[in-house]
Amino acid sequence: MSARAHPVDDDGEISPVDTSSPRQENTPYVHKVEVPPKQNLFNEFMYTFKETFFHDDPLRHFKDQSKSKKLMLGIQSVFPVIEWGRKYNLKMFRGDLIAGLTIASLCIPQDIGYAKLASLDPKYGLYSSFVPPLVYACMGSSKDIAIGPVAVVSLLLGTLLRAEIDPNTNPNEYLRLAFTSTFFAGVTQAALGFFRLGFLIDFLSHAAVVGFMGGAAITIALQQLKGFLGINKFTKKTDIIAVLSSVISSAHHGWNWQTILISASFLIFLLISKFIGKKNKKLFWIPAIAPLVSVIISTFFVYITRADKKGVQIVKHLDKGLNPSSLRLIYFSGDYLLKGFRIGVVSGMVALTEAVAIGRTFAAMKDYQIDGNKEMVALGAMNVIGSMTSCYVSTGSFSRSAVNFMAGCQTAVSNIIMSIVVLLTLLFLTPLFKYTPNAILAAIIINAVIPLVDVKATILIFKIDKLDFVACMGAFFGVIFVSVEIGLLIAVGISFAKILLQVTRPRTAILGKIPGTSVYRNINQYPEATRIPGVLTIRVDSAIYFSNSNYVRERIQRWLTDEEEMVKAASLPRIQFLIIEMSPVTDVDTSGIHALEDLYKSLQKRDIQLVLANPGPPVINKLHVSHFADLIGHDKIFLTVAEAVDSCSPKLSDEV
């Protein structure tokens, strides 16, 4: 039966079909599936290229602008501070001042602890909250993100660095490798943004990130048991078995009760302050300043009691002054160059994932947009510059960003205020941290990483997608039972495995007609949907590529075999038509065409006609170019499943 379309009038409107003749009255009307206008290879390539790398049309602001305006827009795109700085006012500064002072009180004790987590001198943690936030304030597009060292990246960096160099025996080489890794972390981040490859970080699924962060949080907390309990000899491994074995073996002679008293008391204080802040959002400043208050009180207590002489470990001397240049310390040649590059890529990607996720979260809350690729360039630039000014890998901190958000920050000036406070601390206040006990730093870090164990998100992942839950648990157990890098590798591996599984094993479904309508839906979802005798309708929910073409063909043949056995057992009419609903099939390649040809030949041997419904523009174009449409017949390609069924079995379809 040939497909006929409505005639079109001069205005492009569809004209009614003349039904005066008996032939038109008896012929079921069907629409013809049109082949889209043919595009040349260059246009197709440019469209694909644009959608892959420039889907957000970043150059739209440059259209129809003068050269001077384009130059100014170009500078603004690299330094957004020029744009929002012109609109800055005293009211905004008031909000940023409060937010900046608040996050500074939180970041100073955290930075000292995180530097120790990376096996670096505490001053490098403070350095990393001075220079990088200033760079980000000029180049970043997020109003809310607070920049500095974070627990997960510090742990990851420290673990990877210690695998190459022992910081106790070779402290200078260890420090140089840390700066080298930071440099390449920044280069990696900036390159991803510059070449608009930010979509690569999306390959690490949300479930895998939740599991990795949760495992890393527990690992970090376990690492703090050394300072929390006052243990001198502690394992260098990070897995839970080695850490707990080290803790238990030192229980009789290695624990210090004064240290435990300090750490436990202030951890309870920090947890209570956090609880108060959650109960009343207006009291957000209480958990924000609690760490600094804890540091001041505990330091004063240790100083007046000289608890350091009774086994309480303290920070000791902290160098005063600004960040010294570290450009000459970066390895640009030698054996450690490649190692620094590898560590930098891994830590840079993790830092990037965390920062972009935080930026998007708070941007959604305030209903503004951030450019992911610009964010990557900004983060990369701050880490490259940071590596040259004695900083290690910095990124967005969720805890500090949350405080920044709740404190009423208006722009990135809050980061500048924080940097100024850190600068003043480096210039004048570092000697005051001499008697700060390591126990309080351990309590602060444990308190900071507790929210990273997201139980609610894990439960939701389990309810939504069991495969996602496997990825989450794989990353979680990989981190706590083996190591941070193995956990990260498992997270990436399972994420890719899920993608491959979904691509190579797409879903297919048998469709039935919803009674009283011309709509066809999955019979499993709609049990009331009825099948048309003699017709089997199958929907393929994926593009048909080389990776899944054989599976799709075999799965359709299995559906057909099962259906034939069922109708034979029920003494129903045999299957004469196989209709494939192709609206979800976004594309088809050469292997897909061959699979359809093999299916057609197989159906011919079984005296079953192949019918296609609603192929999209790329698909119908390739069906014509490959002459597959000629093979099955143009009259076997329909606009809808209903029209295809009407053509195959009009009387039966009307009765159902």
Side-chain angles (χ1 to χ4, degrees):
M1 183 179 298
S2 62
R4 297 187 298 113
H6 278 293
V8 180
D9 60 22
D10 293 337
D11 296 325
E13 299 294 331
I14 298 177
S15 303
V17 177
D18 181 13
T19 57
S20 59
S21 68
R23 183 174 180 273
Q24 287 178 327
E25 289 176 357
N26 297 330
T27 304
Y29 169 76
V30 292
H31 295 87
K32 180 181 178 183
V33 177
E34 299 291 345
V35 181
K38 189 174 182 180
Q39 293 192 5
N40 61 48
L41 182 62
F42 177 76
N43 288 340
E44 278 192 43
F45 173 78
M46 289 305 298
Y47 174 80
T48 304
F49 180 82
K50 181 180 177 181
E51 288 303 306
T52 302
F53 298 102
F54 300 96
H55 63 282
D56 54 346
D57 195 13
L59 302 178
R60 62 187 179 278
H61 302 299
F62 292 84
K63 293 176 182 177
D64 303 322
Q65 300 290 341
S66 63
K67 289 184 178 180
S68 59
K69 182 67 174 178
K70 286 180 179 179
L71 177 62
M72 179 56 92
L73 289 172
I75 296 172
Q76 285 181 7
S77 66
V78 179
F79 301 101
V81 64
I82 297 174
E83 182 179 3
W84 59 259
R86 292 199 296 263
K87 306 171 187 175
Y88 201 72
N89 55 46
L90 188 61
K91 184 180 179 181
M92 290 180 175
F93 178 72
R94 204 163 28 234
D96 287 333
L97 178 63
I98 295 170
L101 293 173
T102 308
I103 57 176
S105 68
L106 178 62
C107 86
I108 291 170
Q110 283 186 345
D111 290 345
I112 296 171
Y114 292 158
K116 283 181 167 291
L117 200 59
S119 297
L120 293 168
D121 193 279
K123 64 184 177 184
Y124 296 109
L126 294 172
Y127 289 161
S128 301
S129 279
F130 170 46
V131 174
L134 292 175
V135 178
Y136 181 84
C138 297
M139 300 184 67
S141 56
S142 173
K143 303 174 184 178
D144 304 281
I145 196 168
I147 297 297
V150 296
V152 174
V153 176
S154 298
L155 174 68
L156 177 62
L157 184 67
T159 303
L160 296 174
L161 290 173
R162 285 192 299 270
E164 302 296 338
I165 302 174
D166 187 340
N168 297 317
T169 57
N170 297 297
N172 293 330
E173 286 80 0
Y174 184 88
L175 183 61
R176 292 188 65 184
L177 188 59
F179 293 148
T180 305
S181 301
T182 302
F183 175 82
F184 284 111
V187 169
T188 301
Q189 293 168 337
L192 287 173
F194 182 79
F195 293 108
R196 304 191 66 81
L197 298 174
F199 61 87
L200 292 177
I201 66 172
D202 294 331
F203 281 97
L204 193 59
S205 69
H206 171 70
V209 171
V210 168
F212 174 75
M213 290 294 186
I218 290 176
T219 300
I220 291 167
L222 290 172
Q223 289 288 302
Q224 300 316 301
L225 291 177
K226 177 184 179 182
F228 195 93
L229 302 173
I231 301 172
N232 289 314
K233 293 183 179 180
F234 198 71
T235 179
K236 294 180 180 179
K237 296 180 179 179
T238 60
D239 63 281
I240 188 171
I241 296 174
V243 171
L244 292 180
S245 298
S246 181
V247 170
I248 294 169
S249 64
S250 61
H252 297 295
H253 55 82
W255 295 11
N256 182 277
W257 72 266
Q258 294 97 331
T259 300
I260 297 173
L261 179 63
I262 294 170
S263 53
S265 301
F266 282 100
L267 179 59
I268 292 170
F269 168 69
L270 292 168
L271 292 173
I272 291 173
S273 66
K274 182 178 287 185
F275 177 78
I276 293 171
K278 282 186 176 180
K279 282 293 181 182
N280 189 342
K281 298 296 183 183
K282 292 181 179 179
L283 300 177
F284 69 89
W285 55 271
I286 292 179
I289 67 169
L292 188 59
V293 170
S294 300
V295 167
I296 294 171
I297 295 173
S298 61
T299 302
F300 179 72
F301 173 77
V302 170
Y303 176 72
I304 62 172
T305 62
R306 296 315 306 264
D308 56 307
K309 295 184 177 180
K310 299 175 183 177
V312 175
Q313 299 173 13
I314 58 175
V315 171
K316 297 180 182 177
H317 177 69
L318 262 176
D319 291 337
K320 289 172 61 176
L322 295 176
N323 303 30
S325 173
S326 54
L327 177 60
R328 59 183 177 79
L329 299 177
I330 298 174
Y331 288 110
F332 290 110
S333 61
D335 296 337
Y336 289 121
L337 172 62
L338 190 59
K339 293 176 181 178
F341 175 78
R342 178 179 59 82
I343 296 171
V345 169
V346 174
S347 55
M349 290 290 282
V350 173
L352 199 58
T353 302
E354 188 170 357
V356 171
I358 292 168
R360 287 173 177 170
T361 299
F362 289 104
M365 289 181 181
K366 285 190 176 178
D367 194 26
Y368 67 92
Q369 297 291 324
I370 64 169
D371 187 323
N373 290 293
K374 287 182 182 178
E375 283 293 285
M376 293 173 196
V377 172
L379 292 164
M382 78 178 192
N383 277 314
V384 168
I385 295 172
S387 69
M388 300 175 184
T389 52
S390 299
C391 305
Y392 75 95
V393 182
S394 298
T395 186
S397 165
F398 187 82
S399 59
R400 270 174 264 175
S401 299
V403 170
N404 198 31
F405 175 83
M406 289 186 289
C409 70
Q410 299 296 313
T411 66
V413 169
S414 60
N415 274 294
I416 298 175
I417 302 296
M418 179 188 71
S419 296
I420 293 171
V421 175
V422 172
L423 169 63
L424 295 174
T425 302
L426 285 166
L427 289 176
F428 306 110
L429 303 179
T430 49
L432 300 179
F433 290 101
K434 179 179 179 180
Y435 290 99
T436 299
N438 290 338
I440 192 62
L441 299 178
I444 289 171
I445 292 175
I446 291 172
N447 176 64
V449 299
I450 286 174
L452 295 179
V453 184
D454 199 337
V455 178
K456 288 184 179 179
T458 306
I459 294 172
L460 185 62
I461 289 168
F462 177 78
K463 292 178 179 178
I464 293 174
D465 192 316
K466 300 302 184 288
L467 193 59
D468 263 355
F469 181 73
V470 171
C472 180
M473 290 295 99
F476 177 79
F477 288 119
V479 171
I480 65 172
F481 281 108
V482 188
S483 65
V484 178
E485 59 267 37
I486 293 298
L488 182 61
L489 187 62
I490 291 173
V492 173
I494 294 178
S495 297
F496 271 99
K498 184 183 178 184
I499 294 171
L500 290 174
L501 185 61
Q502 291 177 335
V503 169
T504 58
R505 294 295 182 266
R507 294 180 182 272
T508 57
I510 293 180
L511 306 184
K513 185 180 181 184
I514 304 295
T517 72
S518 60
V519 177
Y520 287 77
R521 291 292 183 267
N522 187 339
I523 60 173
N524 289 327
Q525 184 180 2
Y526 299 92
E528 71 275 13
T530 56
R531 307 183 192 192
I532 307 300
V535 178
L536 176 62
T537 305
I538 296 175
R539 188 183 67 222
V540 179
D541 294 336
S542 168
I544 305 176
Y545 290 136
F546 67 93
S547 58
N548 63 23
S549 57
N550 284 329
Y551 170 79
V552 170
R553 175 179 55 79
E554 292 170 359
R555 191 68 187 89
I556 291 173
Q557 288 176 326
R558 274 191 289 136
W559 279 125
L560 181 59
T561 301
D562 293 344
E563 190 77 3
E564 285 179 328
E565 290 176 355
M566 187 186 72
V567 299
K568 185 177 180 181
S571 299
L572 295 173
R574 74 174 187 86
I575 302 298
Q576 301 179 56
F577 300 93
L578 172 65
I579 300 173
I580 301 180
E581 153 70 305
M582 302 192 75
S583 54
V585 181
T586 55
D587 203 356
V588 61
D589 66 0
T590 307
S591 298
I593 295 293
H594 282 302
L596 292 174
E597 289 174 350
D598 292 341
L599 177 63
Y600 171 75
K601 292 173 184 176
S602 173
L603 294 176
Q604 274 192 318
K605 294 176 183 178
R606 298 160 77 163
D607 195 21
I608 298 173
Q609 292 188 37
L610 177 62
V611 179
L612 305 181
N614 196 23
V619 176
I620 190 64
N621 184 54
K622 292 179 182 181
L623 293 179
H624 278 267
V625 170
S626 65
H627 302 293
F628 182 75
D630 299 329
L631 180 65
I632 66 170
H634 294 271
D635 59 334
K636 294 294 185 294
I637 304 175
F638 296 89
L639 190 62
T640 66
V641 173
E643 289 184 1
V645 173
D646 285 343
S647 175
C648 298
S649 185
K651 291 182 180 179
L652 289 171
S653 65
D654 289 338
E655 292 171 1
V656 174

